[in-house]
Amino acid sequence: MCDTLVLRQQGVTWLAKNSDREAAEPQRMLHFPAVQGDHSRNLRATYIEVPQSAERHALIISQPSWIWGAEMGVNEHGLAIGNEAVFTRLTAKSGEALLGMDLLRLALERAVTAREGITVITEHLERYGQAGAGGFRDKSFRYDSSFLLADPQEAWVLETAGRLWAAKKVEHWAISNALSLGHDYDLGSADLPGQARKLGCWSGKGDFHFAQAFDTKLLPWIGGAHQRRAQNQEFLASCPVSAGWAEFAASLRSHGQHHDDFAKHNNRQVCMHAGSFWRPSQTTGSLIARLGAEPPKILATATSAPCLSLFQPLAFTPGAGADLLSDAEQPLQQSRWWRFEAVHRRSLGDAGFRYALQASRDQLEQSLLAQAEITDPDWQGLQQQAADWHAHWLALAQSQPATLNRWWRRNARL
């Protein structure tokens, strides 16, 4: 489960995403520099090989530890993409091809604009398809993908079912694990209604509706997809023109009416906390990107549970966010995600610890968000403040064992 939002106003594009994966699935923030003149013939994605591109853009991505692709990311030109699992009538039940996360990374590496990103994704989708186990431990978990693509000038929603797709240019939109496009879309697969009819997904009567033709009902209902999307759409519709980092961070931290009583959560929360057979998904990474005339600016947590985490500025400036970014060659245990997990788990069962953590976080984050607005912030000082905060709370978390419920003890071992 995931939630992704995009908003264009005042000449700026915002993209924000919570990546909801299996609890205890590490997710690292990685930076890859631009590449020129690569003579490699092919690249190995998560499951299959595809032709390599000689030139690739620099990118910052949030990547589940076991895959090649990414849940979300931004490239040096200001293209930002987030994707979602969708459970369609054409989702492949077997076989291996490209994952939606692979398609996302390919677009960030090869496209400059959102429109170019759609071309990269759909050309690979039509040629190679999408298939393969999408879960970390649960290898029966398979799905198709929807995407929000944004750049400083425009934003698009792209939704897929098997090798078929439709896309629409938008000013504000949210996606949350259910197809959202209907009668109205700007681009699509060749003879999309005809192909849907041949596959038995549309009767041919009335106007063709993308979501009604391809979407399924059970998993979106279990996952609270429509309720979460409605919350996000309401937030976007009510955003003041002054909305900024703090408002988007608050939206990704939303627990709806159940607030901080995690035991009462039911998959209808944007900030998702795992805890039962029916609620196995956990927000394991969060990112906000602002795309405008200046180089892209990014906030990320690189940790589970944004309601407990610190949003920290990132940029493509050399050395910016060095303590937040991981080295793909280093052990997972050295990543920010892994080191914070003790803090996350202590917070689940210790309300006093959790409230003190959040109060401390809010105080520091206010300062970090102010620095994110500066053209050339003191990156070294900013990173030291964040590193000190994390070190302090990690030491406190490790001073007492976490009190976890039975589900966490059995299903979320590191």
Side-chain angles (χ1 to χ4, degrees), residues 367-389:
S367 171
L368 297 185
L369 296 189
Q371 293 182 59
E373 294 296 327
I374 300 173
T375 301
D376 187 20
D378 175 12
W379 286 107
Q380 186 173 356
L382 184 156
Q383 290 162 188
Q384 189 61 55
Q385 292 178 72
D388 290 345
W389 184 86

Side-chain angles (χ1 to χ4, degrees), residues 49-284:
E49 289 190 349
V50 298
Q52 181 60 284
S53 175
E55 279 72 45
R56 302 190 293 280
H57 309 307
L59 60 149
I60 292 173
I61 59 174
S62 191
Q63 180 190 71
S65 59
W66 61 279
I67 69 163
W68 178 82
E71 279 277 298
M72 50 199 168
V74 185
N75 74 17
E76 60 186 314
H77 301 289
L79 170 61
I81 311 177
N83 79 328
E84 307 272 328
V86 288
F87 309 97
T88 80
R89 298 174 67 182
L90 300 181
T91 299
K93 301 298 191 294
S94 61
E96 295 179 342
L98 292 171
L99 293 176
M101 293 174 283
D102 296 332
L103 293 167
L104 184 152
R105 179 172 171 179
L106 287 168
L108 288 175
E109 288 186 344
R110 303 179 183 198
V112 173
T113 67
R115 182 64 187 83
E116 290 176 4
I118 290 175
T119 298
V120 172
I121 290 173
T122 57
E123 286 182 350
H124 283 82
L125 177 72
E126 292 176 341
R127 181 175 179 183
Y128 300 101
Q130 55 182 326
F136 178 47
R137 292 184 174 91
D138 182 3
K139 297 307 179 184
S140 66
F141 190 55
R142 290 170 171 262
Y143 49 83
D144 290 333
S145 296
S146 62
F147 304 84
L148 283 178
L149 302 94
D151 64 38
Q153 281 73 48
E154 60 185 25
W156 288 78
V157 54
L158 167 64
E159 299 196 324
T160 73
R163 298 188 186 217
L164 302 181
W165 60 276
K168 177 181 173 63
K169 188 176 178 180
V170 296
E171 291 297 303
H172 61 84
W173 205 265
I175 53 176
S176 299
N177 306 115
L179 295 176
S180 61
L181 291 175
H183 301 297
D184 183 22
Y185 50 90
D186 299 316
L187 303 168
S189 300
D191 188 21
L192 179 55
Q195 293 198 66
R197 189 171 185 181
K198 288 180 181 178
L199 292 166
C201 296
W202 180 51
S203 67
K205 297 178 181 179
D207 293 332
F208 176 75
H209 188 287
F210 190 83
Q212 290 177 3
F214 298 116
D215 216 351
T216 56
K217 295 181 179 180
L218 181 60
L219 287 177
W221 176 75
I222 292 173
H226 299 291
Q227 292 89 342
R228 286 185 284 112
R229 182 171 188 262
Q231 292 176 48
N232 291 325
Q233 289 283 82
E234 182 180 356
F235 162 75
L236 294 171
S238 62
C239 262
V241 294
S242 61
W245 298 113
E247 287 76 14
F248 279 93
S251 74
L252 294 183
R253 288 170 171 151
S254 173
H255 293 151
Q257 63 180 340
H258 292 301
H259 303 293
D260 291 334
D261 188 349
F262 301 154
K264 292 183 179 180
H265 284 199
N266 56 5
N267 294 329
R268 275 66 177 160
Q269 291 73 37
V270 175
C271 177
M272 194 166 288
H273 294 266
S276 71
F277 174 81
W278 294 108
R279 186 161 47 89
S281 289
Q282 167 73 42
T283 301
T284 54

Side-chain angles (χ1 to χ4, degrees), residues 9-26:
Q9 61 180 14
Q10 300 292 101
V12 172
T13 307
W14 294 89
L15 184 138
K17 177 179 176 179
N18 273 351
S19 168
D20 301 338
R21 305 283 303 172
E22 292 178 44
E25 179 183 32

